Amino acid sequence: MDSTHVALVTGATSGFGRAIAERFAAAGARVVAVGRRAERLNELAASFGDRVHPLCLDVRKPDAVFAAVAGLPPEFAAVTVLVNNAGLALGLEPAHETDWADWDNMIATNVRGLAAMTRAVLPGMVARKRGHVINIGSVAGAYPYPGGNVYGGTKAFVHQFSLNLRADLLGTRVRVTSIEPGMAQTEFANVRFGDDTKADAVYAGAEPLTAGDVADVVLYAASLPPHVNLNVVELMPTGQAFGPFTVHRER
Ligand code: NDP
Ligand code: 8X3
């Protein structure tokens, strides 16, 4: 990682994205920090001087995504690493009791937003024969759990989309990695439940991953020699594992 790199990190106002943006900037890269909360983006930019370019953008709006990427200032335009991290879960109700607006919002952010960012940035990477798309998936995309319904589905999309990109990008020197964490303490549960007490209960007594743990893995993947591609990285806290299948019994 060095000053020839430009990392565009979505969801840089909180959690993984903020830690990832900080890691890249501290390592000497220029960073385009994307999110909706301008104040937080400006704070981040202020702590790294002109190395961080704040970009206030809602990834759910494809036209705005394409215009923003096309309009990046020249010193930030040649993106070498795209970290598609912006995303959210909303609710934990069974499928038939959920709010449709929550499903729509998760699909718009985690699927359409991620796809639009990728489509906007990829042609430049291919033309320059240099680039790395790092997508943040989740263990929820591989392992079902009650209430995971559409959230898990969006993360399964991230996994398969990443592998399909690898197939399309063969021969371009552009790398693609899907990083799939388990439980991590960020603002994720606060957003999911809209209730800080419920969010705190998710982590009570546990030792979850930190945003820094995930950022370290992202930086590692990006720092490998250009001929090495990590396809998929799944990580969990040591204190998280799998449960048995459940069986419904009438009696
Ligand atoms: P946070 O809630 O702390 O951060 C989410 C980030 O996404 C924020 O910076 C938020 O910025 C941004 N974001 C959300 N919606 C939009 C949007 N429409 N446009 C632009 N930015 C958006 O959660 P995490 O850091 O935990 O989550 C980051 C990613 O990691 C997500 O994709 C999540 O699904 C995934 N993940 C999280 C795990 C966990 O346990 N925490 C485990 C596995 C995966 P703003 O609100 O300012 O727009
Ligand atoms: C976040 C992890 O288990 O809450 O993707 O879905 S989980």
Side-chain angles (χ1 to χ4, degrees), residues 47-78:
S47 53
F48 286 99
D50 54 10
R51 211 178 309 154
V52 173
H53 175 69
L55 180 56
C56 195
L57 176 67
D58 185 336
V59 300
R60 292 172 300 184
K61 299 178 176 162
D63 290 349
V65 166
F66 288 109
V69 171
L72 283 170
E75 62 275 30
F76 291 93

Side-chain angles (χ1 to χ4, degrees), residues 138 140 145 151 188 192:
S138 167
Y145 62 81
Y151 178 68
F188 177 83
R192 177 171 227 169

